[in-house]
Amino acid sequence: MTAEGPGAARPGMLLMGVGKFVSLVPEDEEPGPGVQGWDTLPFVRELMPRLKRAYEGLSYAVTDVTDPDLEVVENGWRTACREQFRIVHVISHGSTQLADGRRFQGTEQLFMVPSGGEVGAGNAVDLWVREAHLQQQPMLLVIDLCRAGRAARVAQLIEVPDDELHAWVIAATSPDSPAYDGAFSAAVAEVLEQIAVNGLDTDASLQYVQWDRVIPAIQRRLSNSGSRQQIYSSKVDLARERRLPFFPNPRWRHDPRLERLQTVDSPVRAFVADLGAEHFIDRVGDHFVGRDLQLANLAPWVDDPAIGGLRVVTGAPGCGKSALLGALVCAGHEEIVRAAPDIRRYLAAQHPDGVPSPNPMLAAVHARNRDLDAVLTSLAAQWKLPDRAKRNEEGTPWTVPDLIAALGEFPAPPPLVFDALDEADAPADLMRQLLIPLAEAMRPDGIPVCRLLVGTRRWPRFKPLLDLAAARGALLDLDDVPDEELRADLGKHMAHCLAELPAYRDPAQRPVRTALARTIAAALTQGSRTNREWGPFLVARIYGRALESLEAPQDPEAAARLGSSVPLSLPDVLELDLSLHPEGSRMRAVLAAVAWAKGEGFPTEAVAAVAPEFAPGVGEENVRPLLDAARFYLRTGVESDGSTLYRLFHQGLADYLKGRPYTIGGPT
């Protein structure tokens, strides 16, 4: 299946290359003033088959013409326009004057020289660009001519907004520089070949590889070849990026749900990822189960417009803080419900009393790698507060006092879910400057200005916030849940995960699943709750992954023995899982590289640059399959250029792998 979709007709493209030229001057005569002769371009015949294969690799129907004369060039262009070809790629000499030496006024004039050497309106590339703009669909012109940059700077089109522009240009060189030896077209071919393999690592939610992903890739390959050419291209606004239909992404999956989720602002979308809900249907082990009592307590509080106040959820890494808050946000935030209503339906089926109502006033911020300004900007946008630039002449950004004043004017206190305080930039400052003031601020009617639900680790630096919540009876410590309740939730979670594993899915395996889930839950909830360094849900989740590589027990007794051997800490269970994978050492290096990612994550090239520090034999040629193999541990985002970003699904994993990036027994 191509990015055009099943059954779609292949888009057309025209490829014209001229390598041999007929002299316009008879053999027994001298050339007149301004009359040029054109040297042979031997590289054209080598490049044409490669370019044709590269475009066909992206599902284009290629019309290729070698050494066309003026009439063929003109007819080829007319056919491309009439049949609405998507791309026209030309290689030849470029001329800025007519055959008799005349020049038009200005710096845009550019002709593709045909095999006969003559030039005229039929091969005026600058006119082609203007005509392409008049087409019904966008057209890309790839121009490998001397001074090709003139085609990318047609004055008539420079001021056309991106969403109205239909003529797009990638030019081999500047408006006044030569192009050498087809190096530009060779770079284009190499990039097209790479796109056909991995889409330049473009995220699967995007149908096309974006413009600002392709252009730098071509320039890098051109520069790596030793060429000093600097390509010129049409300028593009990022808002237009995803609608340029030139470079189909082979990784694209037509999933309207994921595409809609990408439109949700990242501070909100992060809750979907932390819940594991981006792939709710097809990912094993990421289904949220458990914490029934906590959800049943928090959901009505989130819904109640007559109250305000503070709630804080805390506990050890992996105790389920983010999953708990993510369930509330994914069920109640209108943007997520609009993009992925099936998440809410699933949660409602699992926890009918623990699902808040969809609420247009619910704001949510995942604070990972965000500072105060970013948080305030997101809150102002979610609550549809007016642009500060429209509120005063200075156009100053939002401040906490301004935000509190604006909230005091709302008809009722809005709910705010604020997760991952411990992962924010300057988290203690965020606590002091934003969260505590919000928790203490009152409306004129004596009600708190908002309902603030915060998720954070139990760190000493957060003592003022934790003490404030404890004094109000509003501190929910997930490590302090009774063992019986935690064991029941954990057993339910593991039973759900095991039922999705092929080795445990058979009906006859139900007694095995039941015994294994029960003993895993019992083992992970034994001992003092206050001394648990790692939350049992995180450990159980990774153990479920390791069970995929272990032989399934055949009876409940064997299942009980296996369940009781579950590692009790994140380091131990991670080491177990990696030891069971044939590429465990290299996978660990990739995960350790990703552990250093900030914000939405690292792109593939950053992982490939860092991972070799932690294991030999990891490089760009194999980092992609290693990332695929480690997919269980990863969450993905999308960079502004469309590339996939990778980060670990849990901060506890990142913390551990930063300290232990090497395989046990390796360098320290």
Side-chain angles (χ1 to χ4, degrees), residues 235-506:
K235 301 296 184 183
V236 66
D237 189 323
L238 292 180
R240 172 72 172 174
E241 283 290 356
R242 300 182 184 183
R243 297 195 296 273
L244 292 179
F246 303 132
F247 309 104
N249 177 17
R251 303 174 69 197
W252 176 59
R253 283 203 334 257
H254 181 50
D255 186 339
R257 178 175 173 275
L258 285 179
E259 293 166 12
R260 290 193 302 267
L261 281 171
Q262 290 302 329
T263 68
V264 178
D265 287 344
S266 57
V268 179
R269 190 173 65 246
F271 286 91
V272 183
D274 270 12
L275 185 62
E278 286 181 332
H279 306 277
F280 236 109
I281 304 305
D282 62 359
R283 287 194 71 161
V284 174
D286 282 355
H287 307 290
F288 178 75
V289 180
R291 300 300 187 188
D292 291 358
L293 293 180
Q294 290 77 22
L295 285 170
N297 175 266
L298 289 171
W301 179 80
V302 170
D303 274 351
D304 193 343
I307 61 172
L310 171 70
R311 297 286 180 95
V312 175
V313 178
T314 190
C319 67
K321 297 184 299 296
S322 290
L324 176 64
L325 270 58
L328 295 169
V329 171
C330 289
H333 197 286
E334 280 204 334
E335 283 294 292
I336 295 177
V337 174
R338 171 194 59 80
D342 54 310
I343 300 177
R344 175 179 169 79
R345 287 195 294 267
Y346 177 88
L347 292 169
Q350 294 295 318
H351 312 279
D353 296 326
V355 176
S357 306
N359 187 346
M361 295 310 297
L362 172 62
V365 172
H366 198 289
R368 181 188 302 113
N369 298 128
R370 293 185 171 89
D371 60 13
L372 178 61
D373 287 342
V375 170
L376 289 173
T377 298
S378 177
L379 291 176
Q382 291 183 62
W383 279 323
K384 297 179 175 58
L385 300 176
D387 220 348
R388 284 304 305 271
K390 298 176 182 177
R391 296 184 57 191
N392 54 52
E393 294 180 359
E394 295 80 13
T396 55
W398 278 91
T399 65
V400 174
D402 288 331
L403 180 70
I404 290 174
L407 293 180
E409 298 174 2
F410 282 17
L416 165 58
V417 179
F418 191 100
D419 193 22
L421 171 61
D422 47 281
E423 299 177 40
D425 288 346
D429 291 342
L430 257 178
M431 176 194 68
R432 289 192 301 269
Q433 297 176 27
L434 174 65
L435 297 181
I436 290 179
L438 277 176
E440 294 179 336
M442 306 295 287
R443 294 159 45 92
D445 57 9
I447 298 175
V449 295
C450 69
R451 299 190 294 287
L452 175 61
L453 175 59
V454 181
T456 185
R457 293 193 199 182
R458 197 191 311 101
W459 285 356
R461 71 180 73 175
F462 302 136
K463 189 175 185 299
L465 180 67
L466 297 170
D467 287 349
L468 181 62
R472 299 181 181 183
L475 180 63
L476 175 57
D477 189 337
L478 295 183
D479 295 337
D480 200 28
V481 173
D483 282 345
E484 296 76 13
E485 179 186 330
L486 179 59
R487 191 174 299 123
D489 281 348
L490 195 57
K492 185 179 178 183
H493 175 76
M494 285 307 301
H496 196 123
C497 293
L498 290 170
E500 299 295 331
L501 298 182
Y504 295 87
R505 192 177 295 163
D506 191 273

Side-chain angles (χ1 to χ4, degrees), residues 93 234 412 585 659:
H93 287 294
S234 303
S585 177

Side-chain angles (χ1 to χ4, degrees), residues 11-343:
M13 74 85 51
L14 173 63
L15 174 62
M16 295 191 292
V18 187
K20 291 184 178 180
F21 302 87
V22 177
S23 175
L24 297 177
V25 182
E27 292 184 6
D28 57 349
E29 294 183 15
E30 294 291 329
V35 177
Q36 291 181 293
W38 302 104
D39 295 333
T40 299
L41 302 177
F43 54 81
V44 170
R45 286 193 174 273
E46 298 176 5
L47 280 172
M48 290 289 285
R50 183 183 182 188
L51 285 165
K52 181 179 181 181
R53 289 192 301 270
Y55 281 111
E56 288 177 338
L58 297 183
S59 298
Y60 279 98
V62 180
T63 299
D64 60 312
V65 184
T66 301
D67 297 336
D69 60 19
L70 179 59
E71 182 179 0
V72 173
V73 169
E74 184 172 4
N75 288 340
W77 171 251
R78 293 300 166 207
T79 299
C81 291
R82 183 178 62 254
E83 298 185 9
Q84 299 187 51
F85 282 9
R86 194 166 291 178
I87 298 179
V88 173
H89 186 143
V90 297
I91 316 170
S92 184
H93 287 294
S95 177
T96 60
Q97 62 186 35
L98 296 170
D100 59 6
R102 286 181 296 139
R103 295 176 182 269
F104 292 114
Q105 188 174 7
T107 61
E108 299 175 4
Q109 178 178 299
L110 178 66
F111 300 94
M112 172 192 173
V113 178
S115 61
E118 66 270 46
V119 295
N123 57 345
V125 178
D126 54 304
L127 295 182
W128 291 357
V129 175
R130 293 180 177 87
E131 291 179 17
H133 178 57
L134 302 179
Q135 297 297 302
Q136 293 182 353
Q137 301 296 328
M139 177 185 283
L140 170 63
L141 291 90
V142 184
I143 311 299
D144 194 353
L145 311 173
C146 290
R147 303 171 184 83
R150 292 167 178 247
R153 298 293 185 267
V154 175
Q156 181 180 343
L157 302 181
I158 287 178
E159 301 302 324
V160 175
D162 286 351
D163 58 354
E164 299 177 12
L165 186 63
H166 276 196
W168 300 85
V169 176
I170 307 175
T173 188
S174 73
D176 297 305
S177 299
Y180 296 101
D181 301 328
F184 166 72
S185 286
V188 170
E190 186 177 347
V191 170
L192 296 179
E193 291 160 354
Q194 194 66 41
I195 290 174
V197 173
N198 58 38
L200 298 183
D201 299 307
T202 295
D203 192 76
S205 65
L206 301 182
Q207 186 174 359
Y208 296 97
V209 182
Q210 293 185 185
W211 186 262
D212 64 343
R213 188 76 177 158
V214 174
I215 302 304
I218 296 173
Q219 182 63 66
R220 281 195 301 273
R221 285 159 177 79
L222 186 60
S223 300
N224 291 342
S225 72
S227 174
R228 299 173 66 181
Q229 291 173 221
Q230 294 293 316
I231 64 176
Y232 270 51
S233 64
S234 303
K235 301 296 184 183
V236 66
D237 189 323
L238 292 180
R240 172 72 172 174
E241 283 290 356
R242 300 182 184 183
R243 297 195 296 273
L244 292 179
F246 303 132
F247 309 104
N249 177 17
R251 303 174 69 197
W252 176 59
R253 283 203 334 257
H254 181 50
D255 186 339
R257 178 175 173 275
L258 285 179
E259 293 166 12
R260 290 193 302 267
L261 281 171
Q262 290 302 329
T263 68
V264 178
D265 287 344
S266 57
V268 179
R269 190 173 65 246
F271 286 91
V272 183
D274 270 12
L275 185 62
E278 286 181 332
H279 306 277
F280 236 109
I281 304 305
D282 62 359
R283 287 194 71 161
V284 174
D286 282 355
H287 307 290
F288 178 75
V289 180
R291 300 300 187 188
D292 291 358
L293 293 180
Q294 290 77 22
L295 285 170
N297 175 266
L298 289 171
W301 179 80
V302 170
D303 274 351
D304 193 343
I307 61 172
L310 171 70
R311 297 286 180 95
V312 175
V313 178
T314 190
C319 67
K321 297 184 299 296
S322 290
L324 176 64
L325 270 58
L328 295 169
V329 171
C330 289
H333 197 286
E334 280 204 334
E335 283 294 292
I336 295 177
V337 174
R338 171 194 59 80
D342 54 310
I343 300 177

